[in-house]
Amino acid sequence: MTRPSMFARLMLAACLSAATPAYADALIDNVDGITLDADGTVIRFTGLVMTPDGHVARLLKQGEKRPDKLDWRADMKGQVLMPGFVDAHGHVVELGFRALELDLSDTRSLDEAKGKIAAYVAANPEKKWILGGGWNQEKWGLGRFPTAADLDLVVGDRPVWLSRADGHASWANTAAMKAAGITAKSLSPTGGRIEKTGTEPNGVFVDAAQDLVLKAVPKPLPKERGTAVLKAQAMLLSYGITATADMGTSVDDWMAYRRLGDAGSLRVRIISYGAGVEHTIRIGGIGPTTWLYNGRLKLAGVKLYSDGALGSRGAWLKAPYADAPGQSGAGFLADDVLRNLMSRAAMDGYQVAVHAIGDKANAQVVDAIADLSETYKGDRRWRVEHAQVVDPADLAKFGKHGIIASMQPVHETSDRTMAEARLGPNRLAGAYAWATMIRDGAVLAFGTDYPVESPDPFAGWAAGFTRSDADGQPFGGWQPQERVSREQAWRAYTMDAAYAGFAEKDFGRLGAGQWADFIIVDRDPLLASPSDLRATKVAETWIGGQKVWSSAGAK
């Protein structure tokens, strides 16, 4: 008997997970319920009545009369019920592949990474290319990028291609560079950099330079992409994420979502932003799509890039890096090119989201938005993804122009020491400036940028109001003046993350008329200490009034 493929097994699990009766008058009762109202005020309740089509009808408080006629009732025995999280910035397919391929995200040194690579190679003799990622030379304390020579000591008989944790650099061995035709004569492309030792490429390719090797890397088969989506979906649901923005959806990614939607296996809600204008137009044609598959999939807009990342010194800065005085990063697009791309998307009604990490990149994007807002009126909800390092002189422009600051709390806790080294002490005032963004009138939407970071929203929530990591460091928080309140951080991870994708009427809190997207957790996150909040476990995840994941079923 042939063993079913991982794709087939994941498809079966996705179908079996929806065991709760669908589309019936129902009551989720005996809960310790918490949600936010439309103004962001905390509401507590003990029962949730659902309509036959899986929406919230109303919330019931302690002692309030329950409906007489119900098709079914679930007694939650006093467990905590809260809205599902909305991750404002993630990469669904990449999360799945990171879990299915070689994952170096937990390695703490180059030697540990080499040992894990060697073990993976030995366990996968049939693989013609060794693919994966998650490495971070800063976490290793290496003081430099790894090199092809480092990789060659582990595997030299087949190509190896491993992306950095942030996806803005990749590491190749000599066999991979040879397969891609990389030589000393290879030139760094615009918006990218080939790291070299003398005149020789040394194995690391930054930002656009990655394309020089990627052209030789075998592309995943459609069934492999489908397996990756199902793997990512299971991970997201296990963390209580019921909706996510997918930043940088390719046509192949979109087709994978459509195939799973056609099969009835798409559970998590995906707000898609196409990978550049070309992919977006090929997917959407004349403009954004409506919600497909009963609210599971929608193309909302386009994802563009202004610069790279701090870790690879690709973030575009107004002044040179403090730890590399000869470098200031690089802008990916000239001002007129960026404006033309944003205009091309906006004229067809696509929402525009632009990656900007360095202060020069953020200035470029907010100034472009200020200009384009004069032409493209109405509710555009321009987005800046990351907004990691902003010149204080530019911070107020976010609120002035109604810009959504799509930011990731876990980046601050992971990157703070690196940011100090890259920027120096005099350029930290506008770094990860969450409280200032809110104070100046910007909408703050939180996410994790998975798989750059873990999708765990509880870790991000704790970081948002403490600005301290899992070990409580630094005591009192890093740049503590930029802490937000516990409730503000929660709002940014739910209703405002939904708002960032034009979905606030559909989900993000538990209000009448919204989808009944909620999770059952093992503690009250509004009362837990930061360390206990980080330890929160999800028992069940429900979407549209149906249970789609449970910890019991995952064991």
Side-chain angles (χ1 to χ4, degrees):
M1 178 173 147
T2 303
R3 184 183 181 188
S5 67
M6 179 176 287
F7 178 76
R9 283 180 277 136
L10 286 169
M11 283 281 284
L12 179 60
C15 293
L16 292 177
S17 65
T20 304
Y23 310 126
D25 292 307
L27 171 63
I28 308 298
D29 205 3
N30 192 13
V31 300
D32 183 4
I34 54 172
T35 187
L36 296 170
D37 67 11
D39 297 321
T41 302
V42 175
I43 296 176
R44 290 189 174 270
F45 58 94
T46 59
L48 185 153
V49 181
M50 296 188 301
T51 64
D53 63 353
H55 287 81
V56 177
R58 60 193 175 104
L59 304 178
L60 301 175
K61 295 187 177 179
Q62 183 70 41
E64 191 170 351
K65 182 175 173 19
R66 272 41 184 167
D68 293 326
K69 296 182 179 180
L70 291 167
D71 287 307
W72 58 278
R73 173 184 175 272
D75 185 346
M76 291 299 176
K77 304 186 186 317
Q79 295 180 94
V80 175
L81 182 153
M82 59 187 292
F85 288 95
V86 181
D87 194 306
H89 184 116
H91 308 278
V92 176
V93 175
E94 288 88 340
L95 177 66
F97 276 123
R98 179 66 55 81
L100 296 170
E101 296 177 338
L102 173 57
D103 184 2
L104 300 177
S105 60
D106 61 348
T107 57
R108 293 162 294 180
S109 68
L110 176 59
D111 284 342
E112 188 177 341
K114 288 163 70 174
K116 194 166 186 179
I117 294 167
Y120 184 86
V121 169
N124 294 274
E126 78 288 354
K127 291 187 180 293
K128 295 181 179 179
W129 278 71
I130 301 300
L131 304 175
W135 60 271
N136 185 343
Q137 83 282 3
E138 298 293 327
K139 187 176 176 181
W140 293 345
L142 194 59
R144 62 172 175 84
F145 278 128
T147 65
D150 294 320
L151 267 181
D152 290 344
L153 292 173
V154 183
V155 53
D157 62 336
R158 44 186 154 156
V160 181
W161 180 244
L162 306 170
S163 64
R164 191 180 184 277
D166 57 17
H168 286 271
S170 291
W171 177 24
N173 67 350
T174 298
M177 290 192 290
K178 183 177 180 181
I182 302 297
T183 69
K185 295 181 180 179
S186 298
L187 301 176
S188 295
T190 301
R193 183 175 76 250
I194 301 174
E195 288 287 316
K196 294 187 176 183
T197 301
T199 60
E200 293 292 328
N202 67 13
V204 170
F205 298 78
V206 179
D207 290 319
Q210 295 175 98
D211 293 337
L212 300 175
V213 181
L214 276 172
K215 66 184 181 183
V217 177
K219 288 184 170 48
L221 297 173
K223 65 179 181 180
E224 293 171 333
R225 198 175 295 270
T227 298
V229 175
L230 287 171
K231 181 66 175 178
Q233 175 173 262
M235 295 174 68
L236 295 174
L237 296 176
S238 74
Y239 281 113
I241 297 167
T242 53
T244 182
D246 184 47
M247 283 293 166
T249 308
S250 69
V251 173
D252 287 337
D253 296 339
W254 179 262
M255 292 307 298
Y257 301 149
R258 292 298 305 264
R259 285 190 290 271
L260 293 177
D262 291 342
S265 299
L266 200 57
R267 299 281 178 259
V268 71
R269 303 190 192 279
I270 298 174
I271 308 171
S272 169
Y273 293 80
V277 172
E278 181 181 349
H279 280 274
T280 304
I281 292 175
R282 288 177 63 195
I283 294 169
I286 59 174
T289 69
T290 58
W291 278 107
L292 307 172
Y293 308 114
N294 207 24
R296 293 309 202 273
L297 178 65
K298 178 180 79 169
L299 175 69
V302 60
K303 166 78 177 299
L304 302 173
Y305 284 86
S306 177
D307 68 344
L310 276 177
S312 53
R313 296 191 184 88
W316 193 17
L317 302 181
K318 291 185 176 182
Y321 280 89
D323 59 355
Q327 299 181 35
S328 299
F332 288 180
L333 302 167
D335 290 350
D336 60 337
V337 175
L338 176 63
R339 282 169 165 77
N340 286 340
L341 290 172
M342 294 172 70
S343 180
R344 176 66 188 87
M347 70 172 58
D348 280 343
Y350 293 110
Q351 187 184 13
V352 176
V354 187
H355 165 116
I357 288 184
D359 52 9
K360 180 69 172 175
N362 275 281
Q364 180 191 44
V365 177
V366 296
D367 287 345
I369 290 171
D371 289 347
L372 292 172
S373 294
E374 296 299 316
T375 300
Y376 300 102
K377 304 291 187 179
D379 188 7
R380 294 286 174 168
R381 303 190 195 180
W382 308 94
R383 297 177 57 138
V384 176
E385 303 305 312
H386 308 304
Q388 217 160 306
V389 182
V390 183
D391 187 327
D394 294 321
L395 281 170
K397 297 177 183 178
F398 280 77
K400 180 180 178 181
H401 299 293
I403 299 171
I404 292 166
S406 173
M407 304 179 76
Q408 298 75 41
V410 283
H411 282 341
E412 177 268 317
T413 52
S414 295
D415 295 353
R416 62 181 175 82
T417 56
M418 179 189 67
E420 290 172 347
R422 296 285 192 268
L423 300 172
N426 298 324
R427 284 190 285 172
L428 298 176
Y432 315 89
W434 312 325
T436 299
M437 289 290 190
I438 292 177
R439 186 169 58 249
D440 288 344
V443 173
L444 189 63
F446 276 168
T448 58
D449 198 14
Y450 63 79
V452 177
E453 305 279 359
S454 164
D456 182 3
F458 295 101
W461 187 357
F465 67 87
T466 65
R467 291 179 75 90
S468 298
D469 62 19
D471 296 323
Q473 298 299 317
F475 180 77
W478 187 79
Q479 303 289 323
Q481 72 278 4
E482 292 297 345
R483 288 181 303 209
V484 297
S485 71
R486 186 186 296 247
E487 292 75 17
Q488 286 173 324
W490 186 27
R491 174 174 180 154
Y493 253 120
T494 51
M495 58 189 290
D496 284 348
Y499 175 90
F502 286 92
E504 74 278 8
K505 294 180 180 178
D506 301 309
F507 49 79
R509 59 187 185 86
L510 297 173
Q514 292 196 313
W515 285 109
D517 296 353
F518 59 85
I519 58 178
I520 305 296
V521 296
D522 66 350
R523 69 200 67 196
D524 187 333
L526 295 180
L527 302 177
S529 68
S531 59
D532 283 347
L533 178 60
R534 288 176 175 271
T536 302
K537 301 299 181 185
V538 177
E540 296 178 2
T541 301
W542 294 58
I543 297 181
Q546 293 181 269
K547 183 165 64 176
V548 296
W549 184 89
S550 73
S551 58
K555 292 178 181 178

